[in-house]
Amino acid sequence: MGMDSFWSGIGGLLGPHGPAQTATAHSYAPGDFSIHFFLQLAVILVACRLVGWLGRKFLGQPQVVGEMIAGALLGPSLFGLLLPDLQRAIFPPETRNILYAGAQLGVGLYMFLVGTTLRIDHFKAKAKSAAGVSLAGIVAPFVVAALIMPFLLEMPGLFAPGISRLNATLFMGACIALTAFPMLARIINERGLADSALGTLSLTAGAFDDACSWCVLALVLATFGGGPSVAIIAIGGGLAWGLVVLSFGPRLFAPLAAQVTRQGTMSTGILAITLAAFCTSAFLMDAVGIHAIFGGFILGAVMPRGLFADEIRRKVEPLAVVLLLPMFFTYSGLNTQMNMVNSLPLLGIALLILIASIMAKGGACYLAARLSGEDNRTALGIGALMNSRGLMELIIINIGLQKGIIGPTLFSMLVLMAIVTTMMAGPLFELFYGRQARERGDLGALDLSPSAIK
């Protein structure tokens, strides 16, 4: 690759990043976008709060699961099916680019906040004992992805035309291997496992699996259809920025943290500097071809702990989680078309993906826990927890859809898999482990109260 090609790739960072949306907005004035945007936000907030409340009240599910379901319900799978004219009037295709930008801001801020809660001590305490569970939770999904890939590639429309079998297998393996670390942390906290060996082991293994899945996704994004210059810019740029943040981030923010400690609160000026740093990090990771969430998460991970991180969460969480993050669920729902799974072969593929995902992740982690010496109930509890995918799964498949790796049909199947496996995690854990542990007094009462970091 010549230098001209390399610099051409650098110069294209601010150029169009396809594929372009088919909808055009030539007939929409600026005021039309704001009219739709505010109405969309109102509908999204009401739907997410209502479905989230119903999920907590009747199903014992955390708020985020209800919001995942609400996002799917607002799309063509239900709202668009029952009231297509009204659904199209509220969410016309011409306005989805605006909704997409808000969704990316929401999920980027969310991952920034998750980074501020990262517990390095969990990893150090149980790294060795969690290695077997983590390795099984990575290897088995990629093996299963390789086994089912011939069936998936035979079905037109699931993957991008011309995608290599290796890239398709890597992407599907990452989707199956993923354990939603924030969702896992939420379940562990509400089930009273935060200080237990089982909780620490599951958190550590989940973190390792998440990191591996995101590394594989970054590799697929860097190599998918872009040529060597795109791959070099993406991988090199991502690694370079990660090293910069990890090396200089703590030192740059230490004086700001000291000022917050002296004042006892975070001033609007320091908050503005922090958010500007977040936007810069998200921009750089998005521009080089990885994704904004990587920039948000890695910056959050180096934020000073203590009052500084507490103040960030206190000031940013309510707006990010209550207002912005539901936009991401809805944008995902608008792309979820369950009616595309409209034949027995497609239904069979959807069930194959669901069963394979459950067995490859939950089953492999169960077996690894048993082999490491855990009793049967504890191993079943670990398998149930590790099978939770949640928001992280929606993020990874949205990236795949936006980058043109997968089609809407496979996207819809993976949304279904994400929702089902996430809803299964808590109840199955209670069935296999939690209920008996509470009867013995080893665990406290459930805490299903709403939480910002979910």
Side-chain angles (χ1 to χ4, degrees), residues 31-290:
D32 296 327
F33 286 105
S34 67
I35 290 171
H36 281 89
F37 184 69
F38 289 122
L39 176 60
Q40 289 168 358
L41 281 182
V43 172
I44 290 169
L45 289 174
V46 171
C48 286
R49 288 289 119 180
L50 176 60
V51 179
W53 178 81
L54 290 172
R56 292 198 315 273
K57 178 78 172 176
F58 298 105
L59 300 177
Q61 296 287 343
Q63 172 73 23
V64 70
V65 175
E67 293 182 359
M68 290 172 61
I69 297 172
L73 297 181
L74 288 174
S77 298
L78 184 66
F79 188 19
L81 186 65
L82 299 178
L83 299 168
D85 292 337
L86 181 59
Q87 197 268 352
R88 185 177 177 83
I90 297 175
F91 298 102
E94 293 85 351
T95 66
R96 291 189 187 179
N97 287 345
I98 304 296
L99 194 62
Y100 173 81
Q104 297 313 297
L105 175 60
V107 77
L109 275 175
Y110 177 83
M111 290 305 298
F112 173 66
L113 294 170
V114 168
T116 67
T117 67
L118 196 63
R119 290 281 303 274
I120 304 299
D121 56 319
H122 276 309
F123 310 151
K124 293 179 179 178
K126 285 289 181 178
K128 185 176 180 180
S129 59
V133 174
S134 177
L135 184 63
I138 284 292
V139 173
F142 282 94
V143 171
V144 168
L147 293 175
I148 67 174
M149 195 50 56
F151 302 100
L152 301 186
L153 290 177
E154 285 180 1
M155 193 67 61
L158 297 186
F159 287 96
I163 189 173
S164 70
R165 182 168 178 173
L166 176 60
N167 270 341
T169 301
L170 288 175
F171 181 82
M172 181 58 66
C175 290
I176 297 175
L178 196 69
T179 292
F181 183 80
M183 176 64 74
L184 183 62
R186 163 74 184 187
I187 294 173
I188 284 174
N189 284 331
E190 73 182 20
R191 307 283 162 178
L193 296 167
D195 297 321
S196 69
L198 186 151
T200 303
L201 187 151
S202 299
L203 273 176
T204 306
F208 287 153
D209 287 0
D210 255 16
C212 290
S213 293
W214 287 117
C215 288
V216 170
L217 174 63
L219 180 63
V220 173
L221 291 176
T223 58
F224 178 69
S229 64
V230 172
I232 291 174
I233 292 171
I235 297 175
L239 289 175
W241 181 244
L243 289 174
V244 168
V245 171
L246 292 174
S247 299
F248 299 104
R251 280 179 265 178
L252 291 175
F253 280 94
L256 299 180
Q259 185 175 340
V260 169
T261 301
R262 287 195 302 270
Q263 297 174 347
T265 186
M266 178 178 284
S267 66
T268 55
I270 293 178
L271 178 62
I273 293 172
T274 305
L275 291 179
F278 156 75
C279 291
T280 301
S281 186
F283 155 73
L284 288 172
M285 295 299 279
D286 222 354
V288 299
I290 305 296

